[in-house]
Amino acid sequence: MTTAVNTRTRYTDTGRATLVPLLADPATGRGRNLDLEVTPHLLISGYTGWGATSALRLVAAHTARHGIDVQVLDPSPKRVGFTGLEDAGPFVTVHRDADDITQLVTDFVTGFQIRFEELDGRAPESHRLLVVDGLDRLRKSVVGEGAGRCSVLDALEPVLALGRAVGYHVAASVSQSFVTRQGFPRTFTDCSALLSLGPTTSRARTELLGAEPRPAGVPAGRGGGEFADYDGPRAVRTVFVSEDEAREIARG
């Protein structure tokens, strides 16, 4: 399947769930994939309107298309960005209620722990994906009970550190203003592919991408930014899909 998305980039199915056609070279338009087998998680930083939600929407739709269980957490009060995935088939579910979100995080982390023990070093045969649009909005949310009670960010850290071994993946966005003010846990940045969209403050860029110089040719406008996985950073433009296109992709 190939879906036209704008004059520069197109969604083209890679045929593999964990190979997500998220990015394009801004100079040539040639696609660059996010490989969840290599970098199992994705952390996106950007100001509102620069394309973080649409990038997560594409990741969710593509992986659901290939049969991965995708749970989308959308704590935004605006409740927009994932309506197209609400009826997109059996592999993707969108959660917005605060209690539902904290319970889902608890279940996701518990499932990770169970699978980690069951596999005992064997390669995973299936994958799960947790998509969080606005991880910083959950920083005050608490999961667990008694001695195991902790913040959502703390609960997800073991998944970030060891998720690759058991096929558990996290794709999340965080506001750049939050990164600038408070930084971000190293487990998240060290274990994830990093996508910084739009204008970047010096502190946020250092937190996310380190001290390497900004690459040439970073495109202006929505969806333009820098991407780093096992090397980089590199100038990229994200592939955009609309709500309707995301539904079509997820349904296969």
Side-chain angles (χ1 to χ4, degrees):
M1 171 187 175
T2 300
T3 302
V5 293
N6 57 40
T7 57
R8 298 181 65 89
T9 54
R10 303 169 69 88
Y11 171 85
T12 302
D13 190 2
T14 62
R16 201 177 97 198
T18 54
L19 198 63
V20 185
L22 177 63
L23 308 167
D25 184 314
T28 66
R30 182 178 180 180
R32 181 179 180 88
N33 300 319
L34 167 69
D35 192 343
L36 295 175
E37 298 282 359
V38 177
T39 47
H41 314 296
L42 172 66
L43 181 62
I44 306 173
S45 171
Y47 292 106
T48 300
W50 283 90
T53 297
S54 61
L56 291 177
R57 186 166 61 223
L58 188 153
V59 174
H62 173 82
T63 48
R65 174 184 177 85
H66 290 277
I68 283 183
D69 173 61
V70 180
Q71 302 296 323
V72 178
L73 309 187
D74 182 16
S76 169
K78 295 183 179 180
R79 297 177 180 269
V80 296
F82 297 95
T83 55
L85 295 179
E86 291 176 350
D87 58 349
F91 296 110
V92 58
T93 307
V94 180
H95 307 265
R96 294 191 175 92
D97 177 76
D99 291 338
D100 189 24
I101 285 174
T102 54
Q103 185 60 54
L104 195 283
V105 171
T106 300
D107 294 344
F108 189 80
V109 172
T110 300
F112 157 78
Q113 293 168 339
I114 292 172
R115 183 179 288 188
F116 188 82
E117 294 176 0
E118 289 177 344
L119 287 177
D120 193 26
R122 300 189 305 275
E125 296 181 355
S126 61
H127 298 263
R128 293 191 70 191
L129 173 67
L130 182 69
V131 175
V132 187
D133 190 21
L135 191 59
D136 47 306
R137 295 191 184 102
L138 301 180
R139 64 188 183 279
K140 295 182 180 179
S141 300
V142 176
V143 298
E145 298 179 354
R149 190 173 172 85
C150 64
S151 71
V152 166
L153 296 184
D154 288 341
L156 288 175
E157 283 207 39
V159 181
L160 271 291
L162 300 171
R164 178 181 179 182
V166 297
Y168 268 56
H169 308 275
V170 177
S173 67
V174 59
S175 70
Q176 195 164 121
S177 57
F178 176 78
V179 176
T180 300
R181 292 193 313 268
Q182 301 189 34
F184 214 71
R186 296 312 309 172
T187 305
F188 284 78
T189 54
D190 289 347
C191 299
S192 304
L194 304 169
L195 176 61
S196 178
L197 296 174
T200 308
T201 66
S202 58
R203 177 176 178 183
R205 190 176 186 282
T206 301
E207 285 281 342
L208 295 170
L209 301 170
E212 294 186 48
R214 184 175 173 87
V218 175
R222 179 184 174 92
E226 299 176 73
F227 176 76
D229 46 12
Y230 50 86
D231 60 3
R234 294 170 299 282
V236 295
R237 183 178 294 280
T238 57
V239 175
F240 175 80
V241 293
S242 69
E243 294 271 17
D244 290 341
E245 289 164 340
R247 182 188 298 111
E248 179 185 351
I249 291 167
R251 288 177 174 175

